[in-house]
Amino acid sequence: MSGVWIFDKNGVARLITNPTRESFEQKEPPYPGTATSPGARPRVLVYLPTNEVIRSYTQLEHCLTELGWSRYHNSGCPNLLQFHRSENSAHLISLPKNFDNFKTLHMYDIVVKNRSFFEVRDATAC
């Protein structure tokens, strides 16, 4: 098992597989199982022109359509929702079909491909 072992005052050890500063400071992480590490804060995707938090694929598709992206229908990948810039472009955004599986990794993919239009923020700040 890889990670960091932490011992509390009673000598009880617990393994932190992907340590963050917050996971060392708190006995129980406030957001268990989120992002990639036990103490990571949940994140949200924000569409900057309207300052709205993206809470569904319907909202996201509307924003991406405004920016020139269109839905890419690929029957070979039924579990993915994909968007592309144009037929001649190599830019492709691939997302899980279920919005519940939409993770920070997917948010940053959208941000990188639309730098001045999207931002990832701490969910508690919104």
Side-chain angles (χ1 to χ4, degrees), residues 98-111:
N98 186 347
F99 192 76
D100 292 337
N101 298 329
F102 185 63
K103 305 289 183 211
T104 307
L105 171 79
H106 303 109
M107 294 178 198
Y108 280 113
D109 185 36
I110 294 168
V111 169

Side-chain angles (χ1 to χ4, degrees), residues 72-124:
Y72 181 71
H73 298 284
N74 185 358
S75 60
C77 299
N79 296 329
L80 292 178
L81 182 64
Q82 296 180 314
F83 296 92
H84 66 102
R85 279 262 191 208
S86 68
E87 296 294 331
N88 301 328
S89 174
H91 293 292
L92 184 69
I93 297 172
S94 296
L95 307 170
K97 194 83 157 186
N98 186 347
F99 192 76
D100 292 337
N101 298 329
F102 185 63
K103 305 289 183 211
T104 307
L105 171 79
H106 303 109
M107 294 178 198
Y108 280 113
D109 185 36
I110 294 168
V111 169
V112 167
K113 293 172 181 165
N114 301 280
R115 288 194 188 275
S116 56
F117 295 98
F118 288 96
E119 185 177 83
V120 177
R121 295 183 187 163
D122 187 358
T124 57

Side-chain angles (χ1 to χ4, degrees), residues 9-35:
K9 294 176 186 175
N10 298 329
V12 178
R14 64 185 171 103
L15 175 66
I16 301 175
T17 54
N18 295 315
T20 62
R21 181 178 177 167
E22 290 134 347
S23 60
F24 288 113
E25 293 172 349
Q26 299 172 355
K27 187 172 183 174
E28 292 298 320
Y31 311 107
T34 58

Side-chain angles (χ1 to χ4, degrees), residues 44-48 51-54 117-121 126:
V44 292
L45 182 67
V46 177
Y47 184 56
L48 294 176
N51 204 32
E52 69 177 307
V53 175
I54 303 299
F117 295 98
F118 288 96
E119 185 177 83
V120 177
R121 295 183 187 163
C126 295

